[in-house]
Amino acid sequence: GENVEQHPSTLSVQEGDSAVIKCTYSDSASNYFPWYKQELGKGPQLIIDIRSNVGEKKDQRIAVTLNKTAKHFSLHITETQPEDSAVYFCAALLVRGQGNLIFGKGTKLSVKP
Amino acid sequence: EAQVTQNPRYLITVTGKKLTVTCSQNMNHEYMSWYRQDPGLGLRQIYYSMNVEVTDKGDVPEGYKVSRKEKRNFPLILESPSPNQTSLYFCASSAGGVPTEAFFGQGTRLTVV
């Protein structure tokens, strides 16, 4: 079946450094790619998303890039802060049925002060 | 306040005893969905609903039922729970009938013994 692969599974950076998380997807017709942040004991929260007609999107310290040809997209966090520590999930919306959102397995990001 | 409310937050039950986890949203969203989260597997979609009386299977629907009789509610039903359904469950909703910009609930931790 369709899947989304996410790397790395864990990432540790020093405060102020950048963090990059990468995802690849299998359904070439996927057209929506959100990123979620999940803090301990809470539900996932949308932090940024991108649609297939856009190559890059930025929101303050967070950016997402999409390469449709290679079927991969990445999350970039600059000037990381301790409060960025969380689990991050990427996802891809399958065109089939339009309601099936496939998630990656998550990246645990630790930002050390 | 816009929110997705799940109940209960924690539940321990025995194998075979039917249970229902409720989900309610106050944003008049068309789309609602259920996910389960397991260590190392990320979030997997169980069922989704693009509008009232419209439901469809996600990736792991076996052993679960849902109903969407009204827009705000989307209960998850386990007719005969088994230990392999022990998991953290999340409900989500979004506008427009597709899972873009989805809001997640706080989660329900279910243990089946």
Side-chain angles (χ1 to χ4, degrees), chain B residues 72-84:
Chain B
R72 65 181 292 123
N73 295 322
F74 190 45
L76 179 69
I77 304 157
L78 285 72
E79 295 269 359
S80 183
S82 63
N84 65 10

Side-chain angles (χ1 to χ4, degrees), chain A residues 1-56:
Chain A
E2 307 294 351
N3 72 310
V4 174
E5 293 193 4
Q6 182 173 347
H7 299 280
S9 56
T10 60
L11 180 59
S12 182
V13 300
Q14 287 295 133
E15 183 177 359
D17 288 350
S18 295
V20 180
I21 303 170
K22 299 182 179 182
C23 289
T24 59
Y25 58 97
S26 58
D27 180 12
S28 57
S30 291
N31 56 14
Y32 174 72
F33 308 91
W35 284 91
Y36 283 86
K37 175 183 181 182
Q38 186 178 24
E39 297 175 330
L40 200 61
K42 297 185 178 181
Q45 181 179 14
L46 179 70
I47 55 172
I48 195 167
D49 57 11
I50 191 167
R51 297 178 189 271
S52 58
N53 58 347
V54 176
E56 183 176 0

Side-chain angles (χ1 to χ4, degrees), chain A residues 1 7 16 23 32 36 44 49 57-58 68 75 85 92 100 107:
Chain A
H7 299 280
C23 289
Y32 174 72
Y36 283 86
D49 57 11
K57 184 176 178 180
K58 287 179 108 172
K68 286 176 59 180
L75 177 71
S85 296
N100 201 323
T107 297

Side-chain angles (χ1 to χ4, degrees), chain A residues 69-97:
Chain A
T69 303
K71 292 191 289 185
H72 69 69
F73 56 112
S74 300
L75 177 71
H76 304 254
I77 305 174
T78 59
E79 300 173 17
T80 54
Q81 301 166 5
E83 51 265 38
D84 293 329
S85 296
V87 178
Y88 291 81
F89 292 97
C90 63
L93 177 62
L94 297 187
V95 173
R96 163 178 61 85

Side-chain angles (χ1 to χ4, degrees), chain B residues 29-104:
Chain B
H29 284 168
E30 289 87 2
Y31 178 93
M32 296 185 76
S33 181
W34 277 102
Y35 300 86
R36 61 177 289 173
Q37 184 174 24
D38 302 290
L41 296 178
L43 288 151
R44 294 180 292 168
Q45 193 171 39
I46 303 171
Y47 269 96
Y48 63 92
S49 169
M50 297 170 78
N51 214 325
V52 176
E53 301 291 2
V54 179
T55 63
D56 207 348
K57 297 178 181 178
D59 292 317
V60 289
E62 295 78 19
Y64 304 95
K65 284 176 58 177
V66 293
S67 68
R68 188 87 182 277
K69 292 182 169 46
E70 49 189 341
K71 194 180 247 189
R72 65 181 292 123
N73 295 322
F74 190 45
L76 179 69
I77 304 157
L78 285 72
E79 295 269 359
S80 183
S82 63
N84 65 10
Q85 292 178 298
T86 292
S87 187
L88 179 59
Y89 292 85
F90 287 101
C91 179
S93 76
S94 61
V98 290
T100 54
E101 300 177 24
F103 286 78
F104 277 76

